[in-house]
Amino acid sequence: MATRTRNPGSDWSASCAPDPVQVHHAWDRDELALVATGRCWLAVEAALMPSVTTMQRIGPARLGPVLVHPEADRAWGLAPAGVRQLLDDLPQLTVHPAGWALRCPPADRYLDELGWLEKPDGSDLLTDPAMLGAAFGPGGNLHLSTGTVR
């Protein structure tokens, strides 16, 4: 296995797939790997620019990995299971169900125009769904410095 795809964030991402070795092999071939949602996290999809604004509102302490595809104007935040109940009423978000495959590059580089704006770091940190809902909710009244809802 090539060492260039071995780092804590990439290893963590690969471990979320049913076959982590297959994921690393795809990355070694400079291909995106399909990682099914549900095992470690669910993917929450939104338009890119509102997602970037939301990332700033949530802050790094409660923000998990965020995959982006700038050309397609899409972003996918990784959040824990159970987010659907908290985010169902926000039409700008799509919570993909368990088993949906996210096309993932390794943590340290872009592939096929997809890359991590907030990289997985191997810590299992996922985006706090309450913070995500507050940031995307009506008015997005999430205070930037403390993470509290106003």
Side-chain angles (χ1 to χ4, degrees):
M1 196 172 305
T3 58
R4 67 185 182 128
T5 63
R6 300 308 301 243
N7 60 64
S10 294
D11 288 344
W12 175 80
S13 296
S15 75
C16 293
D19 186 351
V21 172
Q22 184 178 15
V23 169
H24 279 288
H25 285 312
W27 291 338
D28 291 343
R29 294 185 308 268
D30 287 327
E31 297 173 358
L32 295 168
L34 295 177
V35 179
T37 60
R39 183 171 177 186
C40 297
W41 40 262
L42 292 179
V44 181
E45 183 174 351
L48 179 59
M49 289 315 296
S51 296
V52 170
T53 301
T54 298
M55 290 172 64
Q56 294 170 337
R57 289 180 177 152
I58 292 174
R62 294 187 175 197
L63 182 65
V66 178
L67 180 66
V68 297
H69 188 307
E71 293 236 350
D73 187 36
R74 304 310 303 159
W76 299 266
L78 306 187
V83 296
R84 183 175 298 274
Q85 295 85 345
L86 292 169
L87 305 177
D88 261 352
D89 61 340
L90 298 173
Q92 65 272 43
L93 299 178
T94 300
V95 179
H96 292 285
W100 183 81
L102 183 63
R103 298 178 330 133
C104 296
D108 59 350
R109 67 184 194 275
Y110 273 71
L111 286 177
D112 294 336
E113 301 173 2
L114 284 159
W116 297 98
L117 197 54
E118 184 69 28
K119 295 175 171 49
D121 61 9
S123 70
D124 291 331
L125 176 66
L126 298 172
T127 298
D128 181 308
M131 292 287 127
L132 187 62
F136 266 104
N141 291 327
L142 186 69
H143 189 271
L144 295 176
S145 61
T146 64
T148 58
V149 178
R150 292 195 270 173

